[in-house]
Amino acid sequence: MNTNKTVITRFPPSPTGAIHIGNVRTMIFNHLFALQNNGHMVVRFEDTDRARSKKEFEPLITEGLAWLGITDFDQPTRQSERTHIYRSYIEKLIAEDKAYVSKEEPKEAGQRDTVIRFKNPNKKVKFNDIIRGEISVDTTDLGDFIIAKSLDEPIYHFAVVVDDYEAGITHVIRGEDHISNTPRQILIQQSIGASMPKYAHLPMVLGPDKSKLSKRHGSTSLQDLMKAGYLPNAVFNYLTLLGWHPKEGEEQEIFTPDELVQEFKLEDVQKAGAVFSEEKLRWINKQHLLKLSDGVFFSKVKESLPTEITNLPEYSENRLARLLPELRERISVFSDIKTMAEEGELEYFFEQPGYFAESLIWKKSDKISTKKHLESICKILSDLDEGDWEDKLSIKDTIWPYAETNGKGDVLWPLRYSLSGADRSPDPITLLFVLGKTESLQRIKEAISKLES
Ligand code: GLU
């Protein structure tokens, strides 16, 4: 057992599936608090529920931690492999008359007729919760509670106390749903001679309707967020804000994990439940996305583009690179790129659009003047050097005087339509810039020929 006073926190998930967002938040607080105190966090799998716990779920947990950038923990232990240890503690308690084998009336067929019960000393236990202050509970009502179904089947409360003791856990930081477990766990600690760790019970993570976050609210697991294309640092950032925020007057909401190690304060965690809002997470993700370097942003965009787009005839990385500023402005999460593709908002950048000539005509304008405007613009743009095409402002300066003189709608609508073939698309300057000189002129000429027929 670790006897020095280094801070050791713990993350003890049950490997029963994807990790719930609330548990991830709790894990992050344990991680931050340990780092702030030059300590470390222990990970263990609470897999004593043999029906629900599966080894194949363990990677969901370790991969989730790695995705968040948390890798500095030892190989996790498994409660299922520590039965002999729990057994020795139970035997000792029985020998010391602190626990006993109790004969029970089986409530249903097949049920055991003996269990192991703890001899409750029926006293008040007190602990000082870092978030909730002093809590005092009379344990008499708990009676002689069960600590094991048999010598080899300790229940959760017993295994947790033994594990925390043997790992030298100094701080138990966990969800408020465990607060009612604490008094009996303290009694068990006292019976095995363990000292009491410090406790911090964290507010629950709630859905928008203020009930505990669950499947019907949408995303509930870290895996859901990973799949949705959020950035790890944004998830780390947002989950830390579920129950904690900087002091009044400090409005900062965007933090890197390193900054959070500096700023986070366990004692400032709120008591009230924390509402998980996917909208807020999207906003935070966007702020992190805006800070990505062009290179990283580019490669993430490439990864996110569906093959329906990359297979288009005019697709090239060169053109994609010109589209990046527009995408950076438009998306909040990389998966939005797929949505844009599905909604037809990307394909015209990479293939000549199909449309009817009539769509080119703005409101009260007509075929003849629309054609005349497109011819004039085509001429003006032909005179613009390829070099000037690298700058949206010079493209704008080139066509703007003509548009202002001849009516912006009458000129810019057909120009935009000739380039995108869509009722809604970015402005014509952006389209000209992304498509480049050759393709833009080609599309305008195509529009002119449609108007001729
Ligand atoms: N395995 C428990 C859970 O996933 C954690 C218990 C604890 O933190 O003491 O809720």
Side-chain angles (χ1 to χ4, degrees), residues 26 70 90 108 112 182 193-194 229 258 284 291-292 295 327 354 368:
T26 298
I70 300 172
I90 296 169
E108 43 192 273
R112 252 179 230 82
T182 305
D258 285 342
I284 290 201
K291 290 202 219 164
L292 292 181
L327 287 178
I368 294 170

Side-chain angles (χ1 to χ4, degrees), residues 96-384:
E96 290 171 350
D97 202 23
K98 292 175 180 167
Y100 59 92
V101 177
S102 149
K103 267 214 134 338
E104 310 275 315
E105 201 61 53
K107 288 204 188 68
E108 43 192 273
Q111 217 171 32
R112 252 179 230 82
D113 57 2
T114 59
V115 294
I116 296 157
R117 288 189 179 271
F118 182 75
K119 238 187 206 171
N120 189 339
N122 296 330
K123 59 178 179 183
K124 256 201 172 125
V125 296
K126 248 196 332 209
F127 63 100
N128 209 348
D129 192 278
I130 294 171
I131 295 159
R132 279 148 209 283
E134 193 177 282
I135 297 176
S136 165
V137 180
D138 184 347
T139 62
T140 310
D141 288 346
L142 298 174
D144 285 357
F145 54 86
I146 299 175
I147 53 172
K149 291 187 228 154
S150 73
L151 287 175
D152 292 326
E153 294 167 291
I155 66 153
Y156 155 74
H157 297 293
F158 196 79
V160 163
V161 170
V162 170
D163 287 341
D164 285 349
Y165 174 52
E166 294 218 332
I169 300 301
T170 58
H171 292 75
V172 170
I173 303 167
R174 61 184 175 187
E176 189 199 316
D177 48 340
H178 287 288
I179 207 161
S180 61
N181 296 333
T182 305
R184 78 185 80 200
Q185 292 178 9
I186 291 174
L187 289 179
I188 298 171
Q189 278 158 17
Q190 292 172 347
S191 74
I192 66 169
S195 56
M196 198 201 302
K198 294 207 163 57
Y199 284 98
H201 285 96
L202 308 174
M204 292 283 96
V205 174
L206 311 175
D209 62 355
K210 307 279 166 74
S211 68
K212 193 166 186 265
L213 185 69
S214 70
K215 284 263 183 285
R216 73 199 152 83
H217 294 116
S219 300
T220 51
S221 72
L222 182 61
Q223 278 67 32
D224 290 338
L225 304 183
M226 288 164 75
K227 263 188 246 139
Y230 288 102
L231 295 168
N233 280 4
V235 171
F236 195 118
N237 184 165
Y238 179 59
L239 295 188
T240 308
L241 296 177
L242 289 180
W244 172 83
H245 39 82
K247 277 230 153 2
E248 206 92 19
E250 292 167 29
E251 307 302 323
Q252 186 179 351
E253 289 193 288
I254 304 305
F255 298 92
T256 64
D258 285 342
E259 286 167 338
L260 286 168
V261 176
Q262 299 303 315
E263 298 300 323
F264 173 76
K265 290 211 175 44
L266 187 58
E267 58 273 24
D268 288 345
V269 170
Q270 71 197 36
K271 294 191 188 67
V275 175
F276 175 79
S277 151
E278 197 143 358
E279 200 185 320
K280 182 76 187 260
L281 171 59
R282 278 179 66 82
W283 180 81
I284 290 201
N285 198 72
K286 169 128 201 158
Q287 311 313 307
H288 282 267
L289 203 137
L290 289 172
K291 290 202 219 164
L292 292 181
S293 71
D294 287 341
V296 172
F297 186 74
F298 189 25
S299 59
K300 289 290 227 172
V301 168
K302 268 198 300 186
E303 276 169 34
S304 315
L305 274 177
T307 47
E308 293 85 72
I309 298 298
T310 55
N311 287 341
L312 290 173
E314 292 169 27
Y315 175 80
S316 71
E317 292 200 355
N318 198 9
R319 193 170 297 170
L320 180 62
R322 301 171 75 101
L323 182 56
L324 291 186
E326 174 70 13
L327 287 178
R328 208 154 337 202
E329 214 171 278
R330 289 280 302 278
I331 67 169
S332 295
V333 184
F334 283 108
S335 58
D336 289 350
I337 290 178
K338 190 160 166 264
T339 312
M340 285 177 79
E342 282 163 4
E343 290 174 0
E345 294 177 49
L346 288 180
E347 53 198 53
Y348 52 77
F349 288 107
F350 306 108
E351 76 174 347
Q352 160 78 45
Y355 55 87
F356 295 111
E358 288 65 35
S359 307
L360 292 160
I361 300 161
W362 174 249
K363 290 188 178 163
K364 295 205 176 89
S365 193
D366 55 49
K367 238 178 173 171
I368 294 170
S369 49
T370 301
K371 182 165 164 279
K372 190 190 82 194
H373 293 321
L374 284 177
E375 281 164 345
S376 308
I377 288 288
C378 195
K379 171 82 191 58
I380 295 170
L381 285 171
S382 306
D383 293 341
L384 185 66

